[in-house]
Amino acid sequence: MTVSLEQLRRCHFAVDLGAARTRVYVRGAGLVVDQPSAAAVNTRTGALIAVGEFAEKMTGRTPDYIKVVRPIAGGTVVDIEMAQRMLRHLLGDKMRRMLRRKPRLRAAACAPHDADPLAQRATIETLVGLGARRVELVDTLIAAAVGCGLPVERPEATMIMVCGAAATQVAVLSLGSIVTADRIQVGGEAVDHAIVQHLRHEHELMLPSQSVRPLQLALSGNGLTPHGPASTEIHGRDVVTGLARSVRVDTAAVRDAIQTPLTAVLDSIGRVLRDCPPDLVADLADRGIMMVGGSALLPGFDQMLRQATRMPVHIAERPDICAAQGLGAMLEGRIEPLVLDPLAA
């Protein structure tokens, strides 16, 4: 997955296929698509009914012959045909016609760190189906680091943590490359699942599908910190009677429930630091960790990491779109590579 900046500058558009949202950056036009990675399909006819935000709103509210599917899981395309259909509708006819006029259309795409060849091939096939003659894959960690303004080309250590919906990736970068990295299948969805299971077991309450991300409800205020609200009210369906019911939930118990997935993230950071050269770890003591990705906005997550690692922890200005912005910066030629001239003999 090694690609040069010169190759990326020849690309016409870039795609960040995320488990939660799909983003498309077109050279000269900027970020043209930022929609949920969801599609609603009529199972009787196979027709595509809705994509993006409208399809996500239909989740749990459709008759049995309409199914809401997610063709992307953990940054990997699991249904190539549906991913292509979803991207075509998200781009729209006008943008697709503009891209088709490009001679030898080239595309770039983010790929998770250490993605297996089958996952890489699925991403390439998806974009080839949109008309791309050549597809360049960029490691998500590199793209996100560029997008949030980290000096990745310098001989200095920078640590980035990409907090996705289905996975978390942690890496130390130097001289434009990844020194050490780790990826675990724990993300925002695992935290949501822990909260949902806690409410089901402790309060016999099932959350509706539209509240499957109840973080802002259950962890408002200071979030994961003990200084947050003592309790909060949650609405859902009673497991036994099936009737609508509201319960007041102790947020301290919710914080305990989500410690398991968050502890896995801390363990991943520890593994990366243990494999990193001591000189680079010394740099990180001052610069700290940069958090990107939609799950980086979990209230109090950065403060918990700060207390556990005793390192500075920062959240990017727009953490959810950093990877797409990084791809766009490389497409537009805004990133200059570090030139190392060989010494004369």
Side-chain angles (χ1 to χ4, degrees):
M1 212 157 41
T2 302
V3 57
S4 68
L5 288 175
E6 187 60 34
Q7 289 173 309
L8 289 173
R9 286 171 184 167
R10 299 173 185 170
C11 295
H12 302 95
F13 71 104
V15 180
D16 176 20
L17 295 169
R21 299 184 74 87
T22 292
R23 299 173 178 89
V24 181
Y25 189 102
V26 176
R27 191 172 67 189
L31 193 65
V32 298
V33 172
D34 184 2
Q35 294 279 340
S37 304
V41 184
N42 186 327
T43 57
R44 295 174 181 173
T45 64
L48 196 61
I49 297 174
V51 296
E53 290 183 359
F54 189 37
E56 189 173 55
K57 290 179 181 178
M58 295 170 66
T59 304
R61 302 174 183 270
T62 61
D64 56 0
Y65 66 91
I66 296 178
K67 184 179 180 182
V68 178
V69 298
R70 291 187 173 273
I72 303 160
T76 301
V77 179
V78 294
D79 188 337
I80 295 175
E81 181 183 357
M82 187 55 64
Q84 290 174 349
R85 295 174 68 185
M86 180 187 73
L87 280 170
R88 288 192 192 102
H89 283 79
L90 289 176
L91 282 170
D93 293 336
K94 182 179 178 182
M95 186 59 66
R96 291 209 318 274
R97 284 196 298 268
M98 186 192 79
L99 290 175
R100 279 199 298 265
R101 288 196 293 265
K102 303 288 186 182
R104 293 192 59 82
L105 183 65
R106 290 173 176 246
C110 284
H113 180 70
D114 282 345
D116 60 77
L118 287 178
Q120 296 182 28
R121 191 66 198 171
T123 301
I124 293 173
E125 290 294 335
T126 300
L127 298 186
V128 167
L130 293 177
R133 300 288 296 275
R134 184 182 175 93
V135 179
E136 308 289 356
L137 296 182
V138 181
D139 198 301
T140 303
L141 292 163
I142 298 291
V146 171
C148 65
L150 291 179
V152 294
E153 294 294 333
R154 298 179 186 173
E156 304 169 354
T158 54
M159 190 170 190
I160 187 166
M161 183 168 72
V162 180
C163 309
T168 299
Q169 305 174 66
V170 185
V172 174
L173 311 175
S174 181
L175 286 173
S177 299
I178 295 174
V179 179
T180 59
D182 188 38
R183 177 163 67 107
I184 56 172
Q185 297 301 320
V186 175
E189 292 175 354
V191 176
D192 297 343
H193 180 72
I195 295 177
V196 170
Q197 291 301 309
H198 169 76
L199 295 175
R200 183 184 179 95
H201 294 152
E202 299 297 326
H203 300 277
E204 296 184 341
L205 190 75
M206 290 184 65
L207 289 179
S209 58
Q210 293 298 318
S211 299
V212 75
R213 294 192 60 83
L215 304 178
Q216 300 298 328
L217 295 173
L219 297 173
S220 56
N222 290 316
L224 304 180
T225 65
H227 305 293
S231 62
T232 186
E233 192 172 12
I234 298 290
H235 308 281
R237 189 186 74 184
D238 190 280
V239 173
V240 179
T241 65
L243 300 176
R245 183 163 64 92
S246 299
V247 297
R248 184 154 288 277
V249 179
D250 181 13
T251 53
V254 174
R255 286 195 296 270
D256 292 339
I258 64 177
Q259 284 305 310
T260 299
L262 295 182
T263 300
V265 175
L266 291 176
D267 291 342
S268 177
I269 294 175
R271 284 193 296 271
V272 170
L273 291 175
R274 283 193 297 270
D275 294 338
C276 190
D279 291 342
L280 295 182
V281 175
D283 291 345
L284 296 174
D286 296 328
R287 296 184 180 87
I289 305 171
M290 178 65 75
M291 297 175 64
V292 301
S295 299
L297 297 173
L298 172 61
F301 191 16
D302 57 331
Q303 186 171 344
M304 189 204 73
L305 291 179
R306 200 174 292 117
Q307 293 174 348
T309 62
R310 298 180 181 178
M311 294 168 57
V313 178
H314 315 281
I315 300 178
E317 185 176 353
R318 288 292 307 276
D320 50 338
I321 63 171
C322 280
Q325 286 181 328
L327 285 175
M330 289 185 275
L331 260 64
E332 303 280 6
R334 296 197 295 267
I335 306 299
E336 293 295 332
L338 179 66
V339 178
L340 299 175
D341 293 326
L343 297 176

